[in-house]
Amino acid sequence: MLHVLWMNGGLSCDGESVAITAATQPSIEDLVLGALPGVPPIELHWPYLDFQNGPPFMEWFHRAARGELEPFVLVVEGSIADESNKTAGYWSGFGNDPRTGQPITAADWLDRLAPRASAIMAAGTCSAYGGIHGMAGNPTGAMGVPDHLGWDWRSKDGVPVVCVPGCPTLPDNLTDTLMHLVTHVAGDGPPLELDEELRPRRLFESTVHSGCDRASFYDQSDFAAGQGSASCLVKVGCWGQVVRCNVAKRGWINGVGGCPNVGGICIGCTMPGFPDKFRPFAEDPPAPVFVPLEQTLRGYTLRVAGEQPVTRKTQAP
C-alpha cells in the first residue's frame, strides 16, 4: 500500500484542501477508492478526509518519521516559516510531540519526513514559492518547500520537489499531478517532466493568454475599458500574457470557468514572486500589448508595435 501524507500545517488558508474536493478529472474519490485502472491503491492521511483525529491521526506521521511507513508521498500545503528568526514561540505547528506535549512545527516535520519520502508535492503557491506569507515585510520569513530543502533536493527515489502552484491551485491540477506522482513512485509510470520552476511542464508550459476565451479580442485590439466587458482584459491589469497557467483552458470545475473566462483578470498566482511581483492588481498598464516571457528582475517588459519597449514597474519580491 502506498501512503499519501497530507500536511496542511504550514502557513496557509487551506485553500488547496478545499479546492481538491472540487476536482473531477480525476476526483479525489477516484484516487482514494481505486477507481482508476493502472493507478496504484493509496491510503490518504489528510485532515479533511480522515476519520481519525488527534493523536491517532498524527501517529501516521510519527510512523513515517521513524521509517515505519514506506513508501509514502508527502503533500505539503502552506509556506514554511523560518522558526529560527525569533527567541520564543513558533509560527506554525502540526500536532504535538508525544514526549514534550509541545507543537511540532511545519519546518521540523519537513526536516523529519523529507529524508524518508519517496516524493514531495508542494500544493499551492504558498507551499511552492512562499506565496502570501512570503510577501515583503512578513515577520515569519515564510518560504516555499524548495527554498527550505534546496532547489536541487531529490528524494531517496531521486524525485525533485514537485510544485503545483495556484492561489488556490486548480483542483484538477492537484489530482492530476498526485495521480502521476503515485503511479511513478509505484514503478508503474514515467517521472513527471518539470519546468525550471519545478512545475509539471505539461500543465504549465503555456500562458493563460494562449487558452483564454478572450484571446481573439486581443488579436483585434478590442480591449475592455473596465469590468463587465467581454473584451480582452489586458488594459485593466490582466497578466495572462506572461503567466504560465492552464486554468483558462482546463476550466475550474468540470471544464467550466477559469479566471479570465468568467471576467476576472489574471493576477499571476501560479508564478514565483506572487503576490509582490504582480502588485498592484487591476492597474492600467503603460502599454496595451505584452511580449510573453520577456522578463526583467523587477517587472515584465511590455511592447507596442512600432514603439520602444516599456518595463512595467512592480513591487520587488
Short mmCIF file of all heavy atoms in Angstrom, two decimals, residues 178-212:
data_model
loop_
_atom_site.label_atom_id
_atom_site.label_comp_id
_atom_site.label_asym_id
_atom_site.label_seq_id
_atom_site.Cartn_x
_atom_site.Cartn_y
_atom_site.Cartn_z
N LEU A 178 -0.97 14.44 -8.50
CA LEU A 178 -0.87 13.40 -7.47
C LEU A 178 -1.01 12.01 -8.10
O LEU A 178 -0.26 11.09 -7.73
CB LEU A 178 -1.95 13.62 -6.41
CG LEU A 178 -1.91 12.67 -5.21
CD1 LEU A 178 -0.58 12.75 -4.48
CD2 LEU A 178 -3.06 12.99 -4.24
N MET A 179 -1.92 11.86 -9.06
CA MET A 179 -2.09 10.57 -9.73
C MET A 179 -0.81 10.15 -10.45
O MET A 179 -0.36 9.01 -10.32
CB MET A 179 -3.24 10.67 -10.73
CG MET A 179 -3.48 9.41 -11.55
SD MET A 179 -4.78 9.60 -12.80
CE MET A 179 -4.01 10.78 -13.93
N HIS A 180 -0.21 11.08 -11.20
CA HIS A 180 1.03 10.73 -11.91
C HIS A 180 2.18 10.47 -10.95
O HIS A 180 3.03 9.60 -11.20
CB HIS A 180 1.39 11.85 -12.88
CG HIS A 180 0.58 11.85 -14.14
ND1 HIS A 180 -0.65 12.44 -14.23
CD2 HIS A 180 0.82 11.29 -15.35
CE1 HIS A 180 -1.14 12.26 -15.45
NE2 HIS A 180 -0.27 11.57 -16.15
N LEU A 181 2.20 11.19 -9.84
CA LEU A 181 3.29 11.03 -8.89
C LEU A 181 3.24 9.68 -8.20
O LEU A 181 4.26 8.98 -8.10
CB LEU A 181 3.22 12.16 -7.86
CG LEU A 181 4.50 12.52 -7.10
CD1 LEU A 181 5.66 12.77 -8.04
CD2 LEU A 181 4.25 13.74 -6.23
N VAL A 182 2.06 9.26 -7.73
CA VAL A 182 1.97 7.97 -7.05
C VAL A 182 2.19 6.83 -8.04
O VAL A 182 2.74 5.77 -7.68
CB VAL A 182 0.63 7.80 -6.31
CG1 VAL A 182 0.49 8.86 -5.22
CG2 VAL A 182 -0.56 7.83 -7.25
N THR A 183 1.76 7.01 -9.28
CA THR A 183 1.98 5.97 -10.29
C THR A 183 3.47 5.80 -10.56
O THR A 183 3.97 4.67 -10.70
CB THR A 183 1.24 6.33 -11.58
OG1 THR A 183 -0.15 6.49 -11.31
CG2 THR A 183 1.40 5.23 -12.62
N HIS A 184 4.20 6.91 -10.61
CA HIS A 184 5.65 6.84 -10.81
C HIS A 184 6.34 6.21 -9.60
O HIS A 184 7.22 5.34 -9.76
CB HIS A 184 6.21 8.23 -11.07
CG HIS A 184 7.71 8.27 -11.07
ND1 HIS A 184 8.48 7.57 -11.98
CD2 HIS A 184 8.59 8.91 -10.25
CE1 HIS A 184 9.77 7.77 -11.73
NE2 HIS A 184 9.85 8.58 -10.69
N VAL A 185 5.96 6.61 -8.40
CA VAL A 185 6.59 6.08 -7.19
C VAL A 185 6.35 4.58 -7.09
O VAL A 185 7.22 3.82 -6.64
CB VAL A 185 6.04 6.81 -5.95
CG1 VAL A 185 6.44 6.08 -4.67
CG2 VAL A 185 6.56 8.25 -5.91
N ALA A 186 5.19 4.12 -7.55
CA ALA A 186 4.88 2.69 -7.51
C ALA A 186 5.62 1.91 -8.59
O ALA A 186 5.55 0.68 -8.63
CB ALA A 186 3.38 2.48 -7.66
N GLY A 187 6.32 2.61 -9.48
CA GLY A 187 7.06 1.94 -10.54
C GLY A 187 6.25 1.63 -11.77
O GLY A 187 6.70 0.87 -12.64
N ASP A 188 5.07 2.23 -11.87
CA ASP A 188 4.18 1.93 -13.00
C ASP A 188 4.06 3.05 -14.01
O ASP A 188 3.24 2.98 -14.93
CB ASP A 188 2.77 1.60 -12.47
CG ASP A 188 2.76 0.34 -11.61
OD1 ASP A 188 3.56 -0.57 -11.90
OD2 ASP A 188 1.96 0.28 -10.65
N GLY A 189 4.83 4.12 -13.84
CA GLY A 189 4.72 5.24 -14.76
C GLY A 189 6.01 6.03 -14.83
O GLY A 189 6.88 5.90 -13.96
N PRO A 190 6.16 6.85 -15.86
CA PRO A 190 7.39 7.63 -16.02
C PRO A 190 7.43 8.79 -15.04
O PRO A 190 6.40 9.18 -14.47
CB PRO A 190 7.27 8.15 -17.47
CG PRO A 190 5.78 8.24 -17.69
CD PRO A 190 5.18 7.10 -16.93
N PRO A 191 8.60 9.39 -14.84
CA PRO A 191 8.69 10.57 -13.98
C PRO A 191 8.02 11.76 -14.63
O PRO A 191 7.90 11.85 -15.85
CB PRO A 191 10.20 10.79 -13.81
CG PRO A 191 10.80 10.16 -15.04
CD PRO A 191 9.93 8.99 -15.37
N LEU A 192 7.58 12.68 -13.80
CA LEU A 192 7.00 13.92 -14.31
C LEU A 192 8.09 14.82 -14.86
O LEU A 192 9.14 15.00 -14.22
CB LEU A 192 6.27 14.66 -13.18
CG LEU A 192 4.87 14.17 -12.80
CD1 LEU A 192 4.45 14.75 -11.46
CD2 LEU A 192 3.86 14.55 -13.87
N GLU A 193 7.86 15.38 -16.04
CA GLU A 193 8.80 16.35 -16.58
C GLU A 193 8.47 17.71 -15.99
O GLU A 193 7.34 18.19 -16.11
CB GLU A 193 8.71 16.40 -18.10
CG GLU A 193 9.72 17.36 -18.72
CD GLU A 193 9.60 17.46 -20.24
OE1 GLU A 193 8.77 16.72 -20.81
OE2 GLU A 193 10.32 18.30 -20.83
N LEU A 194 9.45 18.33 -15.35
CA LEU A 194 9.22 19.60 -14.67
C LEU A 194 9.89 20.75 -15.42
O LEU A 194 10.89 20.54 -16.11
CB LEU A 194 9.76 19.54 -13.24
CG LEU A 194 9.26 18.38 -12.36
CD1 LEU A 194 9.89 18.47 -10.98
CD2 LEU A 194 7.74 18.38 -12.26
N ASP A 195 9.34 21.95 -15.26
CA ASP A 195 9.98 23.13 -15.86
C ASP A 195 10.99 23.72 -14.88
O ASP A 195 11.29 23.12 -13.84
CB ASP A 195 8.93 24.16 -16.30
CG ASP A 195 8.16 24.79 -15.13
OD1 ASP A 195 8.57 24.62 -13.97
OD2 ASP A 195 7.15 25.46 -15.39
N GLU A 196 11.51 24.88 -15.20
CA GLU A 196 12.57 25.48 -14.39
C GLU A 196 12.08 25.91 -13.01
O GLU A 196 12.88 26.14 -12.11
CB GLU A 196 13.19 26.69 -15.11
CG GLU A 196 12.27 27.87 -15.30
CD GLU A 196 11.33 27.74 -16.49
OE1 GLU A 196 11.31 26.66 -17.13
OE2 GLU A 196 10.61 28.72 -16.78
N GLU A 197 10.76 26.01 -12.82
CA GLU A 197 10.20 26.38 -11.52
C GLU A 197 9.62 25.16 -10.80
O GLU A 197 8.85 25.30 -9.86
CB GLU A 197 9.10 27.44 -11.70
CG GLU A 197 9.53 28.68 -12.47
CD GLU A 197 10.64 29.46 -11.80
OE1 GLU A 197 10.94 29.17 -10.63
OE2 GLU A 197 11.20 30.38 -12.43
N LEU A 198 10.01 23.95 -11.26
CA LEU A 198 9.62 22.67 -10.66
C LEU A 198 8.13 22.37 -10.80
O LEU A 198 7.57 21.58 -10.06
CB LEU A 198 10.03 22.61 -9.18
CG LEU A 198 11.53 22.75 -8.89
CD1 LEU A 198 11.80 22.69 -7.39
CD2 LEU A 198 12.33 21.67 -9.61
N ARG A 199 7.47 22.99 -11.79
CA ARG A 199 6.08 22.70 -12.08
C ARG A 199 5.98 21.62 -13.15
O ARG A 199 6.85 21.55 -14.02
CB ARG A 199 5.37 23.97 -12.58
CG ARG A 199 5.38 25.13 -11.63
CD ARG A 199 4.91 26.43 -12.27
NE ARG A 199 5.83 26.89 -13.31
CZ ARG A 199 5.88 28.14 -13.77
NH1 ARG A 199 5.06 29.04 -13.28
NH2 ARG A 199 6.72 28.48 -14.71
N PRO A 200 4.94 20.80 -13.14
CA PRO A 200 4.74 19.85 -14.24
C PRO A 200 4.67 20.60 -15.56
O PRO A 200 3.77 21.43 -15.77
CB PRO A 200 3.42 19.17 -13.89
CG PRO A 200 3.30 19.30 -12.41
CD PRO A 200 3.92 20.62 -12.08
N ARG A 201 5.62 20.33 -16.45
CA ARG A 201 5.70 21.11 -17.69
C ARG A 201 4.43 20.99 -18.52
O ARG A 201 3.98 21.97 -19.12
CB ARG A 201 6.91 20.63 -18.50
CG ARG A 201 7.17 21.46 -19.76
CD ARG A 201 8.41 20.99 -20.49
NE ARG A 201 9.60 21.09 -19.67
CZ ARG A 201 10.30 22.22 -19.50
NH1 ARG A 201 9.90 23.33 -20.07
NH2 ARG A 201 11.36 22.22 -18.74
N ARG A 202 3.85 19.81 -18.53
CA ARG A 202 2.65 19.59 -19.35
C ARG A 202 1.51 20.51 -18.94
O ARG A 202 0.69 20.92 -19.77
CB ARG A 202 2.22 18.13 -19.19
CG ARG A 202 0.97 17.73 -19.94
CD ARG A 202 0.72 16.24 -19.81
NE ARG A 202 0.57 15.86 -18.42
CZ ARG A 202 -0.60 15.89 -17.76
NH1 ARG A 202 -1.69 16.31 -18.38
NH2 ARG A 202 -0.69 15.50 -16.51
N LEU A 203 1.44 20.86 -17.66
CA LEU A 203 0.35 21.69 -17.15
C LEU A 203 0.67 23.18 -17.20
O LEU A 203 -0.24 24.01 -17.25
CB LEU A 203 0.02 21.30 -15.71
CG LEU A 203 -0.39 19.85 -15.47
CD1 LEU A 203 -0.66 19.62 -13.99
CD2 LEU A 203 -1.61 19.46 -16.31
N PHE A 204 1.97 23.53 -17.18
CA PHE A 204 2.34 24.94 -17.03
C PHE A 204 3.23 25.46 -18.14
O PHE A 204 3.87 26.49 -17.97
CB PHE A 204 3.03 25.14 -15.68
CG PHE A 204 2.12 24.96 -14.49
CD1 PHE A 204 2.00 23.72 -13.87
CD2 PHE A 204 1.36 26.01 -14.02
CE1 PHE A 204 1.15 23.55 -12.79
CE2 PHE A 204 0.51 25.86 -12.93
CZ PHE A 204 0.41 24.62 -12.31
N GLU A 205 3.25 24.79 -19.29
CA GLU A 205 4.14 25.25 -20.36
C GLU A 205 3.54 26.39 -21.18
O GLU A 205 4.26 27.11 -21.88
CB GLU A 205 4.48 24.08 -21.29
CG GLU A 205 3.31 23.49 -22.05
CD GLU A 205 3.73 22.30 -22.89
OE1 GLU A 205 4.94 22.08 -23.01
OE2 GLU A 205 2.85 21.59 -23.39
N SER A 206 2.23 26.59 -21.09
CA SER A 206 1.57 27.63 -21.89
C SER A 206 1.08 28.76 -21.00
O SER A 206 0.88 28.59 -19.80
CB SER A 206 0.38 27.04 -22.66
OG SER A 206 0.80 26.01 -23.54
N THR A 207 0.88 29.91 -21.61
CA THR A 207 0.39 31.06 -20.86
C THR A 207 -1.13 31.02 -20.75
O THR A 207 -1.82 30.31 -21.50
CB THR A 207 0.80 32.37 -21.54
OG1 THR A 207 0.17 32.44 -22.83
CG2 THR A 207 2.30 32.48 -21.68
N VAL A 208 -1.64 31.80 -19.81
CA VAL A 208 -3.09 31.95 -19.67
C VAL A 208 -3.68 32.46 -20.98
O VAL A 208 -4.73 31.99 -21.44
CB VAL A 208 -3.42 32.93 -18.52
CG1 VAL A 208 -4.92 33.21 -18.47
CG2 VAL A 208 -2.95 32.36 -17.18
N HIS A 209 -3.00 33.40 -21.61
CA HIS A 209 -3.49 34.01 -22.85
C HIS A 209 -3.71 32.97 -23.95
O HIS A 209 -4.67 33.07 -24.72
CB HIS A 209 -2.50 35.07 -23.32
CG HIS A 209 -2.83 35.67 -24.66
ND1 HIS A 209 -3.83 36.60 -24.83
CD2 HIS A 209 -2.29 35.45 -25.90
CE1 HIS A 209 -3.89 36.94 -26.11
NE2 HIS A 209 -2.98 36.26 -26.78
N SER A 210 -2.83 31.98 -24.02
CA SER A 210 -2.92 31.01 -25.11
C SER A 210 -4.19 30.18 -25.07
O SER A 210 -4.61 29.64 -26.09
CB SER A 210 -1.69 30.08 -25.09
OG SER A 210 -1.72 29.25 -23.94
N GLY A 211 -4.82 30.07 -23.90
CA GLY A 211 -6.06 29.31 -23.81
C GLY A 211 -7.27 30.15 -23.45
O GLY A 211 -8.34 29.60 -23.18
N CYS A 212 -7.09 31.46 -23.44
CA CYS A 212 -8.16 32.35 -22.97
C CYS A 212 -9.29 32.49 -24.00
O CYS A 212 -9.04 32.63 -25.20
CB CYS A 212 -7.58 33.72 -22.65
SG CYS A 212 -8.80 34.90 -22.02
#
